[in-house]
Amino acid sequence: MCGIVGYLGVEDAREIIISGLKRLEYRGYDSAGIALRKCDSGTFHIYKDKGRVARLEEIADFSFKTCLGIGHTRWATHGVPNKVNSHPHQSEKSRFFIVHNGVIDNYKELKSEILNGNKFVSDTDSEVIAHIIEKYSDEMSVNEAIRKTMSLLEGSYALAIIDTYNRDKIYACKNKSPLLLGLSDKGTIISSDVMALVGYSTKYVPLKDKTFVEITKKGYKTLDIIGKEVEHEVKVIDVDYFNIEKGEYSHFMLKEISEQPSVIRTIISKYFDKEEVTLNGDISKAIKESDRLYIIAAGTSMNAGFIGKELFEKMAFIPTEVHIASEFAYNMPLLSKKPLFIFISQSGETADLRAVLVNIKAAGYRSLTITNVKTSTLAREADHYVEIHAGPEIAVASTKAYTAQIVVLAILAYGQSDKHINLRKELSKVAISIENIIDKREYIEALVQEYLTKRNCFYIGRGIDYYACLESSLKLKEISYIQTEGFAAGELKHGTIALIEEDTPVIAIISQRSIGKNTRSNLNEVQSRGAKTLVISTNSVHEHGDQIVLDDVYELFSPLLTIIPAQFIAYYAALQRGYDIDKPRNLAKSVTVE
Ligand code: AGP
């Protein structure tokens, strides 16, 4: 994971890098660092420490003008988060400074085979890269030394490199981890994501894998690994990227929960012409021609995938499987004859999904990515992509992307169905009903105070409600640290009910007429064992005493509603415990390592 930013130009490098890193903190935030060149003397200075990017503002010397630098915000993979393991890392003789995003799989072999005898100061895989570049730069040009190093690295990397002997240049290169160049007439920015460019560049160049870049005051040159010049397309930044302030909200998560009705309306405006769905015909064709859909995803996106399975199977009668990306990549099941792979990813950068995409492409299978970031790796590399139009999602806990993914999946499934409902009308009803829940959020806050008093909690439901429970529990555990599981209600009695004790919170989701009674029986079972129960139900299936009763919507769309109180429950549980809601511990928004 990690975020990197570099800058060379006439503006203040320190300001551009620090503000860019703050925008990239969603990629990791356990330590941060920056290397800067003083404009007048040309000397280089490194500041780094454990903690957030804001820490750099406390430790960096702001008394001199800077015009070149590289910075990093870290999500630790190799070595605990501390000052020594923070980036930038230096080569043995301190000629090179590097910042790295990715994982070098063969760093131990490189240490023993190429760098035997070198002294390392950190526990990271990254430090090895700086040492190798320095070793080869004794025998060849820096440009060649970096490309030779690239040829030896196995794994993923996005790198920004300073050579203290070449004070007016920055180098960069990448493989698998994202990296782009932001362009303006005042300088060039290197960044892991467009977000860091906000306010400085309106154009950018997404870099291809195995690309090497040399940046000077005059501009940039992109080469492939053997030194041949390669063309890269220049793109214009989508204005949506500029909508990344919290505004009146205390947290991005609260803002993003509240944006869900407008996200649904945006999706309707993008994919409907009056009552008709207007999706790219090639995508419908790909779905129609397949005999089975394989949804590949992780975390919240996988939970949206489970709802997608219900939609494809129940609306369009297409058999659909949902797979954990990290499992599928190394343990592929027997496939049907004409599979279509659907990758669901908010960021479009999740490494576990990319590992699957690479494999299935090599095997000649077709693919579709559903993502919030149309410029992302998974969007670029799949045969087709559909954008979910949720707008930038900043909070680590995904909320509006989940509902947007489900809405897009509903549109795709509807395209293959007998069109027995008016989809546009049903989705519009959902948007209004979500607004009704948002209006009642203070009531939910009070329920949280009353019910979520323990270290653990269970969400139970059946069928599509069970899938909604999976997402509800993920939300609660990731930001409130309450140990929560989403359970198929009927399965509880086969072992897990042993964990129920006096006042254990059990939240039931009941939105389906056919199975509501069964879930209520399971609720009785836990109540008799002391559980403190809270019910989220829909109007037509509710019973007296249910604490949260939601509007009725088309049955298969109920997860779009039941998740909203669950998102608020997670939010308020974290708020009441005083945790950092938008940046929970140990997590990162974009998981670009396997
Ligand atoms: C969501 O709240 C999580 N932070 C996480 O599970 C996330 O959904 C997962 O890492 C997948 O990310 P993606 O959608 O960007 O692929």
Side-chain angles (χ1 to χ4, degrees):
M1 263 108 77
C2 312
I4 67 180
V5 183
Y7 177 74
L8 195 170
V10 295
E11 291 190 275
D12 183 23
R14 180 177 28 224
E15 187 198 310
I16 291 177
I17 294 169
I18 290 180
S19 80
L21 289 177
K22 281 187 178 166
R23 297 206 190 276
L24 295 190
E25 274 192 324
Y26 74 89
R27 305 178 66 85
Y29 39 80
D30 55 40
S31 35
I34 190 168
L36 296 165
R37 202 204 93 174
K38 246 185 187 179
C39 283
D40 47 7
S41 65
T43 52
F44 286 91
H45 303 263
I46 290 186
Y47 308 93
K48 59 182 192 174
D49 207 353
K50 182 179 173 183
R52 302 272 162 94
V53 174
R55 176 83 185 118
L56 296 180
E57 290 170 318
E58 294 164 16
I59 59 173
D61 182 350
F62 278 76
S63 65
F64 55 86
K65 199 169 173 315
T66 62
C67 40
L68 180 160
I70 56 177
H72 189 266
T73 178
R74 180 171 187 241
W75 186 84
T77 58
H78 296 63
V80 296
N82 62 19
K83 183 172 174 175
V84 174
N85 290 332
S86 308
H87 299 222
H89 289 289
Q90 298 181 56
S91 54
E92 200 179 32
K93 295 182 208 131
S94 297
R95 174 174 170 183
F96 292 95
F97 300 165
I98 64 131
V99 289
H100 170 221
N101 167 33
V103 171
I104 304 304
D105 298 331
N106 61 338
Y107 79 104
K108 284 189 184 147
E109 291 84 337
L110 293 172
K111 267 188 181 177
S112 59
E113 287 162 19
I114 298 181
L115 301 168
N116 208 351
N118 277 37
K119 287 206 169 39
F120 296 92
V121 296
S122 78
D123 303 317
T124 65
D125 52 339
S126 313
E127 191 183 356
V128 170
I129 304 169
H131 284 232
I132 301 178
I133 296 171
E134 185 172 80
K135 179 181 167 70
Y136 288 123
S137 60
D138 288 342
E139 305 154 18
M140 52 188 89
S141 71
V142 180
N143 177 318
E144 287 166 329
I146 296 174
R147 286 187 291 105
K148 171 136 178 118
T149 305
M150 287 168 70
S151 71
L152 299 171
L153 300 177
E154 286 170 18
S156 55
Y157 55 84
L159 288 162
I161 304 156
I162 287 176
D163 173 11
T164 55
Y165 294 2
N166 279 289
R167 291 158 187 243
D168 294 316
K169 286 182 182 171
I170 306 183
Y171 304 92
C173 57
K174 73 146 273 179
N175 184 43
K176 294 188 188 168
S177 301
L179 196 65
L180 51 86
L181 303 178
L183 312 178
S184 89
D185 49 8
K186 293 193 175 141
T188 306
I189 300 178
I190 304 164
S191 171
S192 305
D193 184 348
V194 170
M195 292 250 182
L197 310 182
V198 172
Y200 301 105
S201 324
T202 50
K203 286 189 280 181
Y204 72 102
V205 179
L207 298 172
K208 296 176 193 147
D209 278 350
K210 300 263 169 83
T211 297
F212 164 83
V213 193
E214 187 178 298
I215 297 163
T216 61
K217 276 189 194 143
K218 288 193 190 128
Y220 65 95
K221 192 161 77 179
T222 46
L223 306 179
D224 67 11
I225 203 156
I226 55 166
K228 203 169 110 236
E229 236 175 286
V230 279
E231 287 284 305
H232 281 77
E233 200 184 339
V234 178
K235 299 193 171 211
V236 176
I237 298 176
D238 199 321
V239 282
D240 270 3
Y241 272 104
F242 295 92
N243 176 24
I244 50 177
E245 300 301 333
K246 276 203 293 264
E248 70 202 74
Y249 294 94
S250 46
H251 298 94
F252 278 108
M253 185 180 179
L254 187 60
K255 175 177 182 255
E256 289 156 9
I257 293 173
S258 310
E259 282 172 350
Q260 290 173 106
S262 76
V263 168
I264 294 178
R265 292 185 183 113
T266 303
I267 299 172
I268 293 174
S269 74
K270 300 279 179 191
Y271 294 123
F272 280 85
D273 178 10
K274 301 210 174 74
E275 309 301 303
E276 291 304 310
V277 169
T278 55
L279 254 182
N280 172 346
D282 288 347
I283 295 174
S284 302
K285 194 162 165 259
I287 299 175
K288 198 170 277 154
E289 284 174 357
S290 70
D291 63 354
R292 187 171 284 258
L293 304 176
Y294 291 81
I295 292 178
I296 310 292
T300 288
S301 298
M302 181 174 72
N303 294 336
F306 286 120
I307 311 297
K309 170 185 164 66
E310 292 291 299
L311 294 165
F312 280 117
E313 294 195 336
K314 307 232 159 84
M315 280 172 93
F317 306 105
I318 306 173
T320 306
E321 295 179 16
V322 182
H323 289 273
I324 301 173
S326 55
E327 283 297 305
F328 195 98
Y330 302 99
N331 189 14
M332 205 189 283
L334 274 181
L335 299 176
S336 67
K337 291 206 173 68
K338 283 191 268 164
L340 174 69
F341 285 85
I342 301 183
F343 294 85
I344 308 179
S345 174
Q346 187 283 131
S347 62
E349 298 295 346
T350 303
D352 293 327
L353 276 70
R354 189 166 186 236
V356 179
L357 180 58
V358 169
N359 289 348
I360 65 107
K361 273 178 81 165
Y365 297 122
R366 312 283 299 160
S367 53
L368 160 69
T369 292
I370 297 176
T371 184
N372 201 21
V373 187
K374 67 176 178 211
T375 51
S376 62
T377 309
L378 292 169
R380 283 199 312 270
E381 294 183 355
D383 296 310
H384 311 279
Y385 77 87
V386 182
E387 215 184 328
I388 61 169
H389 294 288
E393 191 182 64
I394 310 294
V396 165
S398 184
T399 52
K400 61 177 180 171
Y402 172 76
T403 44
Q405 286 163 344
I406 294 173
V407 171
V408 165
L409 286 160
I411 292 173
L412 291 172
Y414 178 79
Q416 312 297 319
S417 76
D418 61 3
K419 320 265 188 327
H420 60 283
I421 56 165
N422 180 328
L423 183 62
R424 185 183 184 130
K425 210 163 121 206
E426 294 300 336
L427 289 174
S428 305
K429 255 165 64 184
V430 168
I432 294 169
S433 298
I434 294 178
E435 279 165 348
N436 294 338
I437 307 168
I438 293 171
D439 289 345
K440 294 196 190 96
R441 63 177 186 270
E442 281 170 9
Y443 166 66
I444 300 174
E445 182 176 10
L447 287 177
V448 170
Q449 187 97 46
E450 187 184 341
Y451 283 84
L452 278 97
T453 51
K454 295 281 174 188
R455 258 208 82 247
N456 58 353
C457 175
F458 290 90
Y459 267 96
I460 61 167
R462 288 171 177 248
I464 207 165
D465 292 334
Y466 162 54
Y467 294 139
C469 286
L470 294 180
E471 174 55 12
S472 303
S473 69
L474 177 60
K475 246 5 25 124
L476 184 58
K477 73 179 92 164
E478 76 179 316
I479 61 167
S480 75
Y481 317 139
I482 293 174
Q483 188 170 359
T484 321
E485 293 313 322
F487 248 84
E491 184 63 13
L492 212 58
K493 60 185 175 294
H494 296 289
T496 308
I497 201 165
L499 296 175
I500 303 292
E501 38 187 54
E502 203 55 34
D503 285 341
T504 302
V506 176
I507 305 175
I509 296 183
I510 305 175
S511 74
Q512 309 292 299
R513 183 166 299 283
S514 56
I515 42 175
K517 289 266 175 288
N518 305 51
T519 305
R520 288 197 190 271
S521 302
N522 303 130
L523 212 48
N524 288 336
E525 289 156 14
V526 292
Q527 270 163 352
S528 340
R529 286 156 182 87
K532 203 167 177 179
T533 58
L534 190 156
V535 179
I536 301 172
S537 59
T538 48
N539 196 28
S540 60
V541 297
H542 91 281
E543 283 187 7
H544 179 70
D546 289 356
Q547 290 84 345
I548 302 175
V549 180
L550 313 173
D551 295 342
D552 283 319
V553 291
Y554 174 56
E555 263 203 335
L556 290 174
F557 293 169
S558 69
L560 291 168
L561 283 197
T562 53
I563 193 59
I564 311 296
Q567 292 170 346
F568 279 125
I569 287 172
Y571 175 80
Y572 287 118
L575 191 71
Q576 287 164 15
R577 283 161 179 72
Y579 293 137
D580 188 340
I581 292 178
D582 289 334
K583 293 194 181 86
R585 71 184 179 207
N586 302 340
L587 296 177
K589 183 81 180 156
S590 180
V591 186
T592 55
V593 292
E594 279 189 61

